Amino acid sequence: MIAELRKFINDTYNSTRYKNALLYLSENAGGLPKFKISETPVFISQNLLNSLKEVSNYIIDEIKKDSFIALTNAAIPAKKRVCGEESHPNFLAIDYAICENEKGELIPRLIELQGFPSVFAYQYFLSEAYASAYEIPKNLTPFFSDLDIDSYIKLFEKTVLGDYSADEVILLEIYPTQQKTEIDFIITQKIIGIKTVCVTQLRAEDKTLYYLLNGKKIIVKRIYNRLILEELTPQQLSEISISLDFDYDIEWATHPNHFYRISKFLMPFLNHRLIPKSYFADQIPSHILDFGNYILKPLFAFAGQGVKLNITVKDIREINDKQDWIIQEKVKYAGAIKMPEEAIKCEIRLMYLWPDENENPTLAINMCRLSNTRFMNVGQNAVHKWVGSSIGFIKTDN
């Protein structure tokens, strides 16, 4: 997206550089991720970044409104509502398709958003792997808001730990070693020292949560939550001994209710020139007759699960729980990343950290997904060159 930097990577790329990036990750992060890493980083122009920030700032203003809680109460299923909700999420992840306007300029279009952690630890290590192997110029950074490596880690640590020490905080997941994002859990422990605990290992005494480590009872004061209640299977639920309303003496980073509030559920309420029109499937306006211009999405699913790209009236009619689905205007991805063989499509996720006491979130780092197919899920692009998980760099003033 920054032409001279794209040319630099294209001209200097070879398979050894890519292998060295993977080697850096393997040696410094404890292994490789369970998903494809792209052969190329992304370079985000200032104009595109300004547009990305414009949309995200609008969304954040909507989240901060006094009416937000009442507006999104209906998003939380009654049996999934968790006690002790904080005033704001500690993490935001906002996903954009990179498209073209009528002038041929690259612009973002909102795809999804989540009040839930992303791979904040892994992305920092991925940027280091690219920078080392590809000799990326020193005036480029993956960080925003004038952060550098040290201040980024400090802000991440502050957001996760709150006022507690690392031994009082856990990263919570279900079967963490089976998750595709396990590498992020490993790096999180490496850089801030918290343990990863499976929810099936938690026990409760009255209002106190704990787990056993080498036979010793470890009290949990705060949870860095990576557990998605919506995705627990009946088998998994049967193995959990604590109450999932979590009415215990704990704090959250971030609270599970935010997963529902800040999600695709919010999109029909947003109105911005760079946000595709969206409607709940049970509230589709009568003037919409051509569903070919829309896609159908379940509200609470990640990684493209359940999405239907070519829908008809019949598809809508056959949905029983229409309130849990939206239709969303299709966007046309641009071939934004000009590689030697072809132009690659790109999504950019802006990732925000929002410590408990801060009035506003801080735009901290990003994640990119690259694809040469209609699917942007990195797990569906494993066999192709140039595609997969990546990160964007921006120019600094230095």
Side-chain angles (χ1 to χ4, degrees):
M1 300 173 191
I2 302 177
E4 68 271 19
L5 294 173
R6 173 49 49 207
K7 185 176 187 304
F8 166 74
I9 290 295
N10 291 358
D11 289 347
T12 60
Y13 174 82
N14 56 58
S15 60
T16 299
R17 287 188 183 273
Y18 182 57
K19 290 176 183 177
N20 286 342
L22 299 182
L23 181 63
Y24 180 97
L25 276 178
S26 182
E27 291 180 344
N28 292 278
L32 292 175
K34 300 172 183 176
F35 47 82
K36 167 78 185 309
I37 298 171
S38 174
E39 288 83 351
T40 180
V42 173
F43 302 104
I44 304 172
S45 70
Q46 189 60 52
N47 286 342
L48 180 58
L49 180 59
N50 290 341
S51 294
L52 288 162
K53 288 181 178 179
E54 175 193 328
V55 191
S56 290
N57 288 341
Y58 161 75
I59 293 169
I60 290 166
D61 286 343
E62 293 298 305
I63 292 170
K64 291 176 62 181
K65 284 183 176 179
D66 292 339
S67 58
F68 175 74
I69 295 298
L71 178 71
T72 58
N73 273 336
I76 308 171
K79 294 183 179 180
K80 303 291 175 61
R81 190 178 294 270
V82 173
C83 299
E85 183 175 343
E86 291 87 1
S87 59
H88 66 247
N90 295 112
F91 305 92
L92 290 174
I94 308 178
D95 293 352
Y96 296 94
I98 304 306
C99 307
E100 284 183 345
N101 62 16
E102 61 280 359
K103 298 178 182 178
E105 301 165 332
L106 294 181
I107 58 169
R109 300 291 304 278
L110 179 68
I111 296 298
E112 293 191 15
L113 66 165
Q114 60 188 66
F116 193 79
S118 189
V119 284
F120 283 89
Y122 166 73
Q123 286 301 106
Y124 144 62
F125 266 69
L126 178 61
S127 72
E128 291 287 280
Y130 279 133
S132 172
Y134 287 58
E135 300 181 53
I136 290 178
K138 299 295 185 183
N139 68 331
L140 297 176
T141 177
F143 304 112
F144 305 109
S145 306
D146 295 323
L147 296 172
D148 58 19
I149 290 174
D150 292 336
S151 57
Y152 174 77
I153 293 175
K154 184 177 180 180
L155 182 62
F156 177 55
E157 182 178 54
K158 178 183 179 183
T159 307
V160 172
L161 298 185
D163 294 327
Y164 295 95
S165 60
D167 59 359
E168 296 175 304
V169 182
I170 62 169
L171 187 158
L172 187 66
E173 227 326 349
I174 180 75
Y175 308 150
T177 60
Q178 299 179 21
Q179 301 298 326
K180 286 187 176 181
T181 52
E182 182 193 10
I183 190 171
D184 185 66
F185 310 158
I186 295 170
I187 300 173
T188 298
Q189 179 169 338
K190 181 183 180 75
I191 62 177
I192 64 175
I194 64 172
K195 298 290 186 185
T196 298
V197 177
C198 180
V199 66
T200 62
Q201 295 175 288
L202 286 180
R203 300 292 181 266
E205 288 182 358
D206 297 324
K207 293 285 189 176
T208 300
L209 274 185
Y210 69 93
Y211 66 99
L212 296 176
L213 181 63
N214 299 323
K216 181 181 178 182
K217 186 183 296 186
I218 307 296
I219 305 300
V220 177
K221 300 290 184 66
R222 185 173 169 94
I223 293 174
Y224 175 36
N225 186 45
R226 304 298 291 270
L227 175 69
I228 299 175
L229 296 175
E230 191 73 21
E231 295 185 353
L232 293 175
T233 67
Q235 174 61 37
Q236 291 168 346
L237 287 168
S238 71
E239 297 177 30
I240 298 171
S241 64
I242 63 169
S243 172
L244 290 182
D245 66 2
F246 283 95
D247 188 14
Y248 303 107
D249 293 332
I250 53 169
E251 292 183 4
W252 293 93
T254 192
H255 194 279
N257 290 355
H258 294 304
F259 168 80
Y260 298 99
R261 293 189 187 279
I262 304 170
S263 65
K264 291 185 283 288
F265 179 90
L266 192 58
M267 293 190 67
F269 300 104
L270 301 176
N271 183 21
H272 187 282
R273 64 186 177 85
L274 295 174
I275 298 180
K277 294 293 184 184
S278 300
Y279 306 95
F280 293 106
D282 62 345
Q283 299 177 22
I284 299 173
S286 58
H287 70 267
I288 295 180
L289 302 175
D290 181 9
F291 288 101
N293 292 323
Y294 292 82
I295 61 176
L296 183 65
K297 290 183 172 183
L299 286 180
F300 306 117
F302 282 165
Q305 296 179 21
V307 173
K308 293 186 178 181
L309 300 180
N310 300 299
I311 60 174
T312 64
V313 174
K314 182 173 180 290
D315 292 318
I316 304 296
R317 288 174 179 167
E318 290 179 348
I319 299 173
N320 294 322
D321 50 347
K322 291 184 175 61
Q323 73 280 358
D324 292 334
W325 293 73
I326 62 169
I327 64 167
Q328 179 181 315
E329 274 186 321
K330 286 182 177 179
V331 301
K332 184 178 180 181
Y333 287 78
I337 312 297
K338 310 299 184 184
M339 302 312 300
E341 298 91 342
E342 59 184 326
I344 303 295
K345 296 185 294 185
C346 178
E347 280 184 5
I348 298 177
R349 169 175 291 178
L350 295 189
M351 296 161 59
Y352 292 78
L353 294 169
W354 200 344
D356 294 338
E357 67 273 23
N358 287 18
E359 182 179 351
N360 295 298
T362 298
L363 176 56
I365 201 167
N366 71 91
M367 180 182 77
C368 299
R369 297 188 187 99
L370 306 184
S371 175
N372 60 356
T373 73
R374 63 178 183 168
F375 298 107
M376 298 304 295
N377 181 353
V378 295
Q380 294 170 311
N381 285 282
V383 299
H384 299 283
K385 188 177 180 181
W386 305 124
V387 304
S389 169
S390 186
I391 192 168
F393 289 82
I394 60 171
K395 283 185 176 180
T396 68
D397 296 328
N398 300 325

